[in-house]
Amino acid sequence: MATEKIQDVRRMTHWPGHMETDYIYTLGIAGERFFKEIKENGKIPGAKCKRCGQIFVPPRLYCEKCFDKLTDWVNVGTKGKVYTFTIAYIDIKGARLKEPTIYALIKFDGTVGGLVHKLGEVDICDLRVGLPVEAVFKPQPERTANINDIKYFKPVK
Amino acid sequence: MFGKKRVAVIGAGMTLFRRTLKETGKELAWEASKMALDQAGLELKDIDSVVMGTAPDAFDGVHMKGEYLADGSGAYRKPYSRVFVGGGTGVFAVDAGWWHIASGQFDTCLVVGEEKMSSCYPHPAYAFTTIFDPIYARPLGVTLIWIFALEMHRYMHVHGIKKEDIALVSVKNKRNALDHPCAQLGANITVEDVLNSEMLCYPVQRLDISPTSDGAAALVLASEDVAKKVTDNPVWIDGVGWCIDSTFWTNRDLYYPRYVQCAAQMAYKMAGIKNPPKEIDVAEVYDPFDYKELHHMEGLMLARKGQAPRLTAEGVTQRDGDLPINPSGGLLGVGNPIAAAGIMKCCEIFWQLRGEAGKRQVKGDPRTGLAQAWGDLMQYGSVVIMRS
Ligand SMILES: [Zn+2]
């Protein structure tokens, strides 16, 4: 139901402009090591703060609370739990998706943070907060050290 | 009293909020500023300093908006700065205006908020896709709405809240906005209309969300000396607060806005408020999504955790209820030109405390009001408390 007459800006006197700029982002010190671990070993690491004991996933170079450098890296496994999820029906430009995509925040036991990622191999009816899931990696030769080296998370059988 | 000088609000102004306005951003800023000065009975020469609040450059499409909007904001040859904390900008700009005067440096400060989102074509939502972490989030195709959907879902899950409980906020605010002469989306809708609207990212539907808008709003702040010379009914800024939580939203309690609680505690302490639901007479709570009004009421400690939906269902938050929330119509009803919307909320509290809100006036004689906004990557809280 529409509650407003949408006015197209092109119906007013106007000048069409453009502001595109392209970027290359470095992964950073902690990010490079994190994605290398995913790419080469199919493992998800976290970084532990010696002062407060928190384990950050993804790993960071420093603890945001204590401000100490994090040097203790631990393997947190590839299994976590769905903390919350959404079913997206629209893409980043607002257009309807052909197939809805499920996104979730996945938390790993005993850690702070977690990974936002897609869920796959899951029936919408089985979706719930608390669902145990595991990472499904791309085959090793196809991995290029980025977050999509994990294809998605799927329910633990 | 905090600071060297007590600070008053003495004038407010705002433009129409609309999907698309013909005026440029500069022209909108000027219109709102001029109205605020007129209400204060001042001229630009009486203004010592200017604070401008405006959100991402990508909306207006001018990659240095502070400078671009300076003349329309009355900053010509004056001490001027732009502040920007995302959606929290509007209320934070008033916090910043407060310290300009409380520091003793200035006697007057013009605070202006502007946003012209229609310039970003075909839809300003696309500008939001570049606010996320470029390495961990953006490669997944992250959009603003699904991030909110994740938070809304967590809030619903933890407290067992239903969509129909949340939809009541949208119904209330759009109805309140029917009485606002500047409103973009005033409407009489039902809970069913919200539940039947287009599903965007479960559980977020079309009518859960505020629109994108063009608009501007402004306030004139003055020291006690100046305020008492020019008006018989100044409204005092008795509390300010602001706070940011973890920049990694995965590290936050999604069900509870701790950043709002921290900002509110700072402002309540300053204003000497010990029992917020009893002592706050009227509040403008940031509502870009319907669930955020409830979430933020709890963060502001106006409701206990998980209890804001019950207060809403009981009518407590209606304009004639015991704790009116968003009598203006809020972002859901008046519109959401980001930084201008936050200042609109401060304007509404100013008008409510002066008894100048017309058909929107809440019952009784409100003496203490609160405005709050929320921003950056969903973890910034800003709060202002005013008293008449
Ligand atoms: Zn630490």
Side-chain angles (χ1 to χ4, degrees):
Chain A
M1 131 174 201
T3 51
E4 184 188 26
K5 270 190 253 173
I6 295 173
Q7 283 183 298
D8 191 323
V9 67
R10 291 176 302 180
R11 287 195 216 154
M12 299 186 178
T13 49
H14 67 270
W15 173 257
H18 189 56
M19 219 169 85
E20 189 171 299
T21 43
D22 294 318
Y23 300 85
I24 304 283
Y25 301 100
T26 62
L27 298 182
I29 310 299
E32 182 176 274
R33 197 169 152 186
F34 173 64
F35 288 114
K36 206 172 158 195
E37 195 65 24
I38 288 179
K39 182 186 168 199
E40 292 177 3
N41 303 316
K43 284 181 178 168
I44 298 174
K48 185 173 180 178
C49 176
K50 287 195 178 104
R51 199 188 305 210
C52 68
Q54 293 190 110
I55 299 170
F56 294 93
V57 178
R60 318 286 181 200
L61 181 64
Y62 51 88
C63 172
E64 61 185 353
K65 206 169 89 185
C66 311
F67 230 46
D68 285 359
K69 188 171 182 178
L70 305 183
T71 51
D72 235 8
W73 281 50
V74 293
N75 181 9
V76 301
T78 59
K79 294 189 173 86
K81 287 198 185 86
V82 171
Y83 176 83
T84 178
F85 66 87
T86 181
I87 308 164
Y89 294 88
I90 50 170
D91 69 11
I92 59 170
K93 290 196 169 175
R96 298 298 288 184
L97 289 165
K98 281 198 193 91
E99 287 293 324
T101 311
I102 306 164
Y103 290 98
L105 170 53
I106 294 132
K107 297 252 181 195
F108 300 87
D109 278 351
T111 71
V112 174
L115 295 179
V116 186
H117 221 294
K118 293 170 193 162
L119 295 186
E121 299 180 44
V122 59
D123 194 319
I124 284 184
C125 307
D126 298 333
L127 270 177
R128 63 183 171 85
V129 172
L131 184 73
V133 291
E134 63 183 313
V136 176
F137 294 88
K138 285 182 181 167
Q140 208 280 329
E142 290 173 27
R143 295 182 212 153
T144 55
N146 72 71
I147 195 69
N148 286 313
D149 284 354
I150 299 173
K151 275 159 72 178
Y152 48 75
F153 282 76
K154 67 169 186 185
V156 175
K157 288 270 156 48
Chain B
M1 188 188 84
F2 284 73
K4 288 187 178 165
K5 291 179 183 171
R6 197 174 184 201
V7 182
V9 184
I10 59 170
M14 66 181 285
T15 67
L16 295 180
F17 284 5
R18 289 290 182 271
R19 176 80 55 172
T20 307
L21 286 168
K22 182 183 289 186
E23 289 83 352
T24 63
K26 285 167 176 277
E27 290 169 341
L28 291 171
W30 170 78
E31 195 180 314
S33 300
K34 189 73 177 165
M35 281 171 72
L37 286 168
D38 286 349
Q39 183 172 27
L42 297 184
E43 299 213 36
L44 187 57
K45 67 174 170 53
D46 303 315
I47 294 296
D48 296 342
S49 63
V50 178
V51 172
M52 143 61 55
T54 190
D57 289 349
F59 288 140
D60 291 49
V62 178
H63 212 142
M64 200 155 57
K65 266 201 292 182
E67 178 274 339
Y68 172 69
L69 296 165
D71 56 348
S73 308
Y76 176 68
R77 291 186 175 167
K78 291 187 195 297
Y80 171 74
S81 57
R82 171 206 185 173
V83 297
F84 172 40
V85 287
T89 299
V91 172
F92 180 71
V94 179
D95 291 342
W98 173 84
W99 79 58
H100 274 62
I101 294 170
S103 65
Q105 188 69 33
F106 302 105
D107 273 309
T108 52
C109 182
L110 177 61
V111 179
V112 190
E114 178 275 358
E115 223 69 62
K116 190 167 168 77
M117 300 170 78
S118 66
S119 306
C120 188
Y121 193 86
H123 198 283
Y126 194 56
F128 282 122
T129 59
T130 48
I131 66 177
F132 296 97
D133 186 288
I135 300 179
Y136 296 91
R138 278 165 54 192
L140 296 164
V142 56
T143 70
L144 193 70
I145 295 174
W146 69 251
I147 290 286
F148 286 112
L150 290 170
E151 184 181 77
M152 179 175 179
H153 189 188
R154 185 71 193 172
Y155 174 61
M156 291 167 68
H157 172 80
V158 168
H159 297 302
I161 296 165
K162 295 195 183 73
K163 263 308 292 273
E164 42 267 50
D165 303 332
I166 293 172
L168 284 170
V169 173
S170 197
V171 172
K172 168 179 70 75
N173 291 3
K174 288 184 194 295
R175 191 194 300 126
N176 282 352
L178 286 169
D179 295 324
H180 200 304
C182 299
Q184 180 178 346
L185 280 182
N188 264 312
I189 62 165
T190 64
V191 167
E192 283 67 38
D193 291 331
V194 180
L195 299 182
N196 292 332
S197 64
E198 184 189 5
M199 181 62 79
L200 301 172
C201 291
Y202 170 85
V204 175
Q205 292 172 266
R206 178 69 66 194
L207 290 179
D208 293 315
I209 311 185
S210 58
T212 60
S213 316
D214 291 356
L219 290 176
V220 179
L221 310 188
S223 65
E224 187 163 13
D225 294 347
V226 170
K228 286 191 167 161
K229 272 183 214 145
V230 300
T231 180
D232 294 331
N233 47 353
V235 168
W236 304 102
I237 295 181
D238 277 358
V240 292
W242 58 94
C243 180
I244 193 164
D245 199 340
S246 174
T247 66
F248 295 101
W249 63 272
T250 52
N251 295 15
R252 289 177 230 144
D253 300 323
L254 294 185
Y255 85 100
Y256 184 71
R258 192 168 296 271
Y259 43 89
V260 170
Q261 184 192 314
C262 294
Q265 279 168 330
M266 175 176 163
Y268 289 147
K269 187 176 174 199
M270 195 173 147
I273 289 174
K274 302 213 162 49
N275 186 341
K278 284 270 178 310
E279 294 177 65
I280 300 292
D281 300 321
V282 55
E284 283 282 327
V285 173
Y286 207 61
D287 62 323
F289 285 63
D290 45 12
Y291 82 97
K292 286 308 284 191
E293 175 172 311
L294 305 169
H295 208 229
H296 288 153
M297 279 173 66
E298 294 171 17
L300 290 164
M301 296 165 280
L302 296 174
R304 287 201 300 278
K305 289 181 182 180
Q307 295 300 305
R310 185 178 58 77
L311 297 183
T312 305
E314 288 171 356
V316 172
T317 61
Q318 295 283 350
R319 208 182 269 151
D320 60 358
D322 286 341
L323 180 52
I325 305 288
N326 291 330
S328 68
L331 278 47
L332 288 160
V334 185
N336 188 12
I338 315 284
I343 294 191
M344 176 276 285
K345 286 187 169 296
C346 299
C347 292
E348 181 70 12
I349 294 300
F350 171 72
W351 289 322
Q352 289 284 349
L353 297 181
R354 297 241 293 199
E356 293 175 349
K359 283 163 79 182
R360 303 188 309 284
Q361 189 65 45
V362 303
K363 67 169 190 173
D365 179 21
R367 306 304 299 269
T368 305
L370 176 151
Q372 173 257 332
W374 160 71
D376 276 343
L377 207 59
M378 290 78 90
Q379 83 283 47
Y380 195 96
S382 43
V383 173
V384 170
I385 294 168
M386 298 186 205
R387 283 202 184 96
S388 56

